[in-house]
Amino acid sequence: MKIMTVCGHGLGTSFMVEMNIKNVLQELGVTGVEVEHSDLSSVSPGDADVFFLAKDIAEGGSQLGEVVILNNIIDMDELREKVTALMKEKNLI
């Protein structure tokens, strides 16, 4: 499984979310999930199985396929909750 974190213009926030997702996956004991980051203009639907986007760019990423919207990209509790739910949905925990 591959997760792509996406931000609007640069790569700073998507890289931060990538690192935080990797930390959550480690806390959950989940292995075999690849996590990368990109900007919205460079990403395409085939780049990952699931895309994590901030709510301010959610509309621009609607064509990507399975998207998880983050209301607050620095809220670790929200991220942990959404990553955990995704891993349960995919039967990885």
Side-chain angles (χ1 to χ4, degrees):
M1 173 183 200
K2 185 173 181 180
I3 294 172
M4 181 77 67
T5 64
V6 182
C7 65
H9 300 290
L11 298 174
T13 55
S14 60
F15 180 64
M16 178 192 69
V17 175
E18 173 190 342
M19 298 308 297
N20 288 339
I21 289 175
K22 287 179 177 179
N23 289 337
V24 171
L25 292 173
Q26 185 175 7
E27 289 173 12
L28 295 172
V30 175
T31 59
V33 175
E34 187 179 345
V35 186
E36 294 183 3
H37 66 279
S38 182
D39 63 278
L40 188 57
S41 63
S42 300
V43 72
S44 62
D47 290 343
D49 301 302
V50 181
F51 299 84
F52 276 72
L53 290 83
K55 71 177 180 177
D56 62 324
I57 63 165
E59 187 175 315
S62 61
Q63 82 290 353
L64 293 174
E66 186 171 357
V67 173
V68 176
I69 305 301
L70 298 173
N71 294 309
N72 182 342
I73 62 168
I74 60 171
D75 183 346
M76 282 302 294
D77 291 331
E78 178 189 6
L79 185 65
R80 189 174 290 107
E81 177 184 311
K82 290 185 174 180
V83 170
T84 301
L86 178 66
M87 293 302 107
K88 286 181 179 177
E89 176 188 318
K90 302 296 183 183
N91 294 317
L92 296 174
I93 56 172

